[in-house]
Amino acid sequence: MEPPPDCPQETPAKFLNLIGPGELQRCLFTETLDVVAAEAQPGDVAWGQWWVSARWAPYERVGEPVRSCLLVQAGCRRRQDGVPASSSLTAYVTPEMETLEQEEQECLEHRPYPVRRRTHMVRHQHGMTVTKTLQEGEAEPQYWNFIYSRAELQGLLLEGANLLLLRVLACRREVPPGLVFPTINTEGQLCTASYRALGVPPQAEVFVIERAVHGGAGASTAWQSSFLPSGRLARLVQVGSPMVMRLQDEPVPATEKGGVVPQSPFPKQPLDWEEDIQLFSWFLDRKGELQESHTAYIQQHPELQVLLSDFLLALLLQQPEDPTSFAAEFFAPKEPPETPFTSSRAANPSPSPPQPGTNRE
């Protein structure tokens, strides 16, 4: 896919400045999509979930005044070729669609050597610094740094701001021809991203927008987003990927007055502790602690071995139909048996002492 002709350098910045506060306000909501196979049918089991949220939040930096920004957050948990994977995005974007800071993280949870990638971007008075980190297993992390000048960043549109722009275009139901912005790809390199409308499919209300990121040597990666008239996503797919993000089958809850119930800016995420590296590590540590504690207790009480051996022997000899009731009866407290002396006294009471004046032979 060849990139479209570039727009004049000032065009991207002018276009972003024309986005009004009312349009941005309509973009402040949270939505969640299921991650499914590309050929999946409604009702099929999802591979994971993808969510994105936008809201106002303060942005603080040491030595600078606090600024009111749009906080864009997104996350995804899925299985990639059978391997659990997760990704997250956090971006602070000004009302002028300028990204002040953004961080992307991705983790492929190969056991026992997970692969973690992190890209951190921060804007400063001289331009922007991009730091990319890669760590494989317990090896030392590798770092790459890229620095771009302010002149190179005119109209720059990063991933967090892109999610906002897509919502604006979806509400407008229109994409200007030749819309191109400079951006930075996952490798930390400066490139371009183009937008175009694919129209409205027959017998459907969705509006489809394609965004393509054009790297070096003519390589491009494209995403197609299908939006409902409300600006919410119905479907998101990376062209050529076996996975699709699809609107959940459950209907959106409504209030008694007919309005939509506002969703939390931090949607509930599925917890699969066996696939979470940190939670699974805590589980193994706790399991080891319990095993050591149990072993020490058994060593301090050798009579347990004798007790369990007696029970198993009785169980195997009698082979009861209800082992649970047999165990309850076997270990139930029992009254101590009467001693021979007690029973003897009970059967043969002691003779009465002789009366005074009675002769005994």
Side-chain angles (χ1 to χ4, degrees), residues 12 22 39 41 78 88 92 103 110 115 130 134 143 163 170 215 239-240 255 260 270 294 303 306 351 358:
E39 303 299 327
Q41 299 297 321
R78 65 193 185 281
S88 64
Y92 286 91
E103 180 172 290
H110 292 283
V115 179
V130 180
L134 172 64
Y143 298 94
L163 295 174
V239 177
T255 64
V260 176
H294 296 166
E303 66 273 15
V306 178
T358 304

Side-chain angles (χ1 to χ4, degrees), residues 7 15 165 169 172 174-180 195-197 207:
C7 299
F15 181 86
L165 176 63
L169 297 175
R172 292 181 179 181
E174 176 184 17
V175 179
L179 190 61
V180 179
Y195 295 76
R196 64 169 180 155
F207 180 66

Side-chain angles (χ1 to χ4, degrees), residues 183-248:
T183 189
I184 296 175
N185 61 20
T186 56
E187 301 301 320
Q189 300 172 345
L190 196 63
C191 57
T192 59
S194 61
Y195 295 76
R196 64 169 180 155
L198 299 184
V200 180
Q203 299 179 349
E205 295 183 354
V206 296
F207 180 66
V208 185
I209 302 174
E210 182 180 79
R211 173 183 181 249
V213 175
H214 310 282
S220 298
T221 305
W223 292 265
Q224 294 178 355
S225 305
S226 302
F227 290 92
L228 299 173
S230 62
R232 294 179 178 270
L233 266 173
R235 183 182 175 93
L236 172 63
V237 58
Q238 180 179 338
V239 177
S241 171
M243 296 181 297
V244 174
M245 274 68 87
R246 187 183 65 190
L247 185 66
Q248 293 177 323

Side-chain angles (χ1 to χ4, degrees), residues 82-126:
V83 178
S86 61
S87 59
S88 64
L89 166 74
T90 302
Y92 286 91
V93 183
T94 68
E96 295 75 32
M97 301 290 282
E98 179 183 73
T99 301
L100 300 180
E101 188 170 353
Q102 177 175 294
E103 180 172 290
E104 295 180 83
Q105 296 191 40
E106 182 180 2
C107 180
L108 293 177
E109 299 173 0
H110 292 283
R111 294 178 181 168
Y113 302 108
V115 179
R116 297 182 177 87
R117 299 184 181 91
R118 175 177 178 266
T119 304
H120 182 255
M121 309 179 189
V122 59
R123 188 181 290 267
H124 45 75
Q125 60 178 350
H126 303 295

Side-chain angles (χ1 to χ4, degrees), residues 9 23 31 90 101 113 132 182 205 230 297 304-305 317 345 355:
Q9 189 173 12
E23 290 184 292
E31 56 188 343
T90 302
E101 188 170 353
Y113 302 108
K132 180 184 174 184
E205 295 183 354
S230 62
Y297 182 80
L304 291 176
Q305 297 288 353
L317 288 175
R345 287 194 298 269
Q355 299 295 326

